[in-house]
Amino acid sequence: MNIRGIGHRGYPVKYPENTLSSFQAAIDLGFSHIELDVHLSKDGVPVVMHDYNIDRMTDGSGEIREYTVDQLQEFNVGEFEKIPTLEEVLRLAKGQIHVSIEMKNTKLYDAVEEKVCRIVQKLQMEEEVYVISFDHKSLAKMRALSSDIKIGPLVTKMKRSHLRLIEKLDAEYIAVKFDGLNEKYINKCEQMDVQVVAWTVNSIEQMQRLQKFPSILITTDELEKYKAYNATYADNLEQVII
């Protein structure tokens, strides 16, 4: 793992997002993290897809919760892919790459926190994952289930109240939309030993703007662009030091 960064849904620029091939590409490129999205099937299995329905990404239609996991895996994602379960992705990732799990549309599902927690514990991956969500009550449920699984609120803009929320949740992360970052609160998070994650950083200009915050963990769709930028930046920094 030589690139400190998060492959957003794997490597979606070149592979169907949130699929095993997309996640494998991030692993092969040497990224430290991948990010994925979780919903529940009709029979309560955590499956990996961004949307709450399958219309955009598959040759089927309807909400994920209307299908059992076996039925969901009959649909095609792109030409050859299937909708993976969370367990399948974590087994692929274990020992190779860290995983950011976003719990999506949590109010649609019964006990999604418990089901995600159970899989992480089953695979003994508490040190290799962290869980994020816009639903901060859902994160509180996750924290009640496990003191070992790392969690973090998802926000569009950093605010003072988020510092209190982090303390209340005993969170180790906060994931912030790129244009909602705030230098004052980034520094506060560093002092609190809380990892700031920025999403989604795809342009060279955005990457350059975050150079002054080396502690931030960057989420990107453009994995090869980010890898090349990092290499160039490291070379330039080495020349300055010499």
Side-chain angles (χ1 to χ4, degrees):
M1 296 190 295
N2 54 8
I3 303 297
R4 185 175 181 271
I6 305 174
H8 187 224
R9 308 176 200 170
Y11 189 4
V13 170
K14 288 201 171 180
Y15 301 87
E17 66 181 47
N18 276 321
T19 59
L20 294 179
S21 63
S22 191
F23 297 128
Q24 185 63 57
I27 293 170
D28 293 343
L29 283 167
F31 272 68
S32 60
H33 293 68
I34 51 173
E35 182 269 351
L36 57 80
D37 308 282
V38 166
H39 298 265
L40 289 187
S41 65
K42 185 177 181 180
D43 48 345
V45 178
V47 296
V48 178
M49 181 165 282
H50 178 268
D51 304 346
Y52 71 94
N53 61 50
I54 63 173
D55 300 40
R56 179 174 64 91
M57 290 302 300
T58 79
D59 54 1
S61 63
E63 294 187 19
I64 291 171
R65 61 179 176 167
E66 295 173 342
Y67 296 99
T68 67
V69 67
D70 289 341
Q71 290 170 334
L72 286 170
Q73 293 192 323
E74 291 177 2
F75 297 109
N76 294 313
V77 181
E79 193 171 355
F80 302 111
E81 296 284 345
K82 301 295 181 184
I83 300 171
T85 66
L86 175 61
E87 183 167 346
E88 287 174 327
V89 178
L90 292 186
R91 287 189 182 279
L92 175 71
K94 187 172 183 177
Q96 299 195 80
I97 197 166
H98 288 79
V99 183
S100 169
I101 301 172
E102 181 182 350
M103 296 187 296
K104 304 285 288 188
N105 302 97
T106 50
K107 292 179 175 61
L108 293 177
Y109 308 115
D110 182 37
V112 60
E113 302 86 4
E114 182 179 344
K115 292 175 171 67
V116 170
C117 180
R118 190 180 302 143
I119 291 171
V120 173
Q121 291 174 334
K122 173 185 174 182
L123 299 179
Q124 298 181 323
M125 291 183 67
E126 290 91 341
E127 295 300 315
E128 297 178 71
V129 308
Y130 66 92
V131 177
I132 57 176
S133 181
F134 281 108
D135 185 345
H136 304 157
K137 290 181 179 179
S138 181
L139 291 175
K141 292 178 184 178
M142 179 62 75
R143 173 55 70 236
L145 289 166
S146 171
S147 59
D148 296 322
I149 295 175
K150 296 177 178 63
I151 61 173
L154 259 168
V155 302
T156 55
K157 185 177 182 179
M158 297 181 93
K159 300 177 182 178
R160 180 184 296 274
S161 60
H162 293 142
L163 302 178
R164 295 192 295 271
L165 175 64
I166 287 167
E167 291 183 332
K168 183 178 179 180
L169 292 171
D170 190 22
E172 297 89 348
Y173 289 80
I174 181 169
V176 187
K177 190 176 180 182
F178 171 78
D179 56 9
L181 292 166
N182 178 293
E183 184 169 0
K184 176 182 176 181
Y185 297 134
I186 292 170
N187 292 335
K188 286 283 188 182
C189 285
E190 287 182 345
Q191 293 168 17
M192 297 167 66
D193 199 26
V194 171
Q195 177 64 64
V196 177
V197 177
W199 52 275
T200 304
V201 179
N202 287 332
S203 71
I204 296 297
E205 179 187 4
Q206 291 172 331
M207 296 172 195
Q208 289 172 334
R209 285 172 61 187
L210 290 183
Q211 275 184 18
K212 65 183 292 188
F213 304 113
S215 67
I216 290 180
L217 189 55
I218 290 174
T219 309
T220 186
D221 298 318
E222 296 280 359
L223 275 67
E224 287 178 278
K225 181 191 292 185
Y226 184 62
K227 183 172 183 176
Y229 173 79
N230 264 5
T232 301
Y233 175 66
D235 287 344
N236 291 341
L237 184 61
E238 185 176 338
Q239 289 174 14
V240 169
I241 292 172
I242 293 171

PDB file of all heavy atoms in Angstrom, residues 12 90 101 160 193:
ATOM      1  N   PRO A  12     -13.919   3.825 -10.441  1.00  0.00           N
ATOM      2  CA  PRO A  12     -15.104   3.919 -11.291  1.00  0.00           C
ATOM      3  C   PRO A  12     -14.871   4.536 -12.657  1.00  0.00           C
ATOM      4  O   PRO A  12     -15.727   4.417 -13.540  1.00  0.00           O
ATOM      5  CB  PRO A  12     -16.058   4.782 -10.452  1.00  0.00           C
ATOM      6  CG  PRO A  12     -15.145   5.649  -9.646  1.00  0.00           C
ATOM      7  CD  PRO A  12     -13.971   4.766  -9.310  1.00  0.00           C
ATOM      8  N   LEU A  90     -15.239  -7.545   1.460  1.00  0.00           N
ATOM      9  CA  LEU A  90     -14.316  -7.551   2.594  1.00  0.00           C
ATOM     10  C   LEU A  90     -13.348  -8.723   2.526  1.00  0.00           C
ATOM     11  O   LEU A  90     -12.180  -8.592   2.902  1.00  0.00           O
ATOM     12  CB  LEU A  90     -15.093  -7.568   3.909  1.00  0.00           C
ATOM     13  CG  LEU A  90     -15.882  -6.299   4.249  1.00  0.00           C
ATOM     14  CD1 LEU A  90     -16.485  -6.398   5.641  1.00  0.00           C
ATOM     15  CD2 LEU A  90     -15.018  -5.053   4.138  1.00  0.00           C
ATOM     16  N   ILE A 101     -16.832   1.980   4.740  1.00  0.00           N
ATOM     17  CA  ILE A 101     -18.181   1.466   4.470  1.00  0.00           C
ATOM     18  C   ILE A 101     -19.183   2.578   4.739  1.00  0.00           C
ATOM     19  O   ILE A 101     -19.337   3.027   5.878  1.00  0.00           O
ATOM     20  CB  ILE A 101     -18.503   0.257   5.373  1.00  0.00           C
ATOM     21  CG1 ILE A 101     -17.500  -0.869   5.165  1.00  0.00           C
ATOM     22  CG2 ILE A 101     -19.932  -0.221   5.128  1.00  0.00           C
ATOM     23  CD1 ILE A 101     -17.638  -2.010   6.166  1.00  0.00           C
ATOM     24  N   ARG A 160     -18.694  23.871  13.776  1.00  0.00           N
ATOM     25  CA  ARG A 160     -18.269  23.694  15.163  1.00  0.00           C
ATOM     26  C   ARG A 160     -19.031  22.551  15.835  1.00  0.00           C
ATOM     27  O   ARG A 160     -18.478  21.786  16.626  1.00  0.00           O
ATOM     28  CB  ARG A 160     -18.477  24.991  15.946  1.00  0.00           C
ATOM     29  CG  ARG A 160     -18.059  24.887  17.406  1.00  0.00           C
ATOM     30  CD  ARG A 160     -18.376  26.162  18.152  1.00  0.00           C
ATOM     31  NE  ARG A 160     -17.612  27.290  17.637  1.00  0.00           N
ATOM     32  CZ  ARG A 160     -16.386  27.597  18.029  1.00  0.00           C
ATOM     33  NH1 ARG A 160     -15.769  26.833  18.923  1.00  0.00           N
ATOM     34  NH2 ARG A 160     -15.762  28.636  17.529  1.00  0.00           N
ATOM     35  N   ASP A 193      -6.983  14.026  17.210  1.00  0.00           N
ATOM     36  CA  ASP A 193      -6.581  12.749  16.617  1.00  0.00           C
ATOM     37  C   ASP A 193      -7.732  12.124  15.829  1.00  0.00           C
ATOM     38  O   ASP A 193      -7.962  10.914  15.875  1.00  0.00           O
ATOM     39  CB  ASP A 193      -6.078  11.777  17.686  1.00  0.00           C
ATOM     40  CG  ASP A 193      -5.246  10.643  17.083  1.00  0.00           C
ATOM     41  OD1 ASP A 193      -4.664  10.853  16.003  1.00  0.00           O
ATOM     42  OD2 ASP A 193      -5.183   9.561  17.700  1.00  0.00           O
TER      43      ASP A 193
END
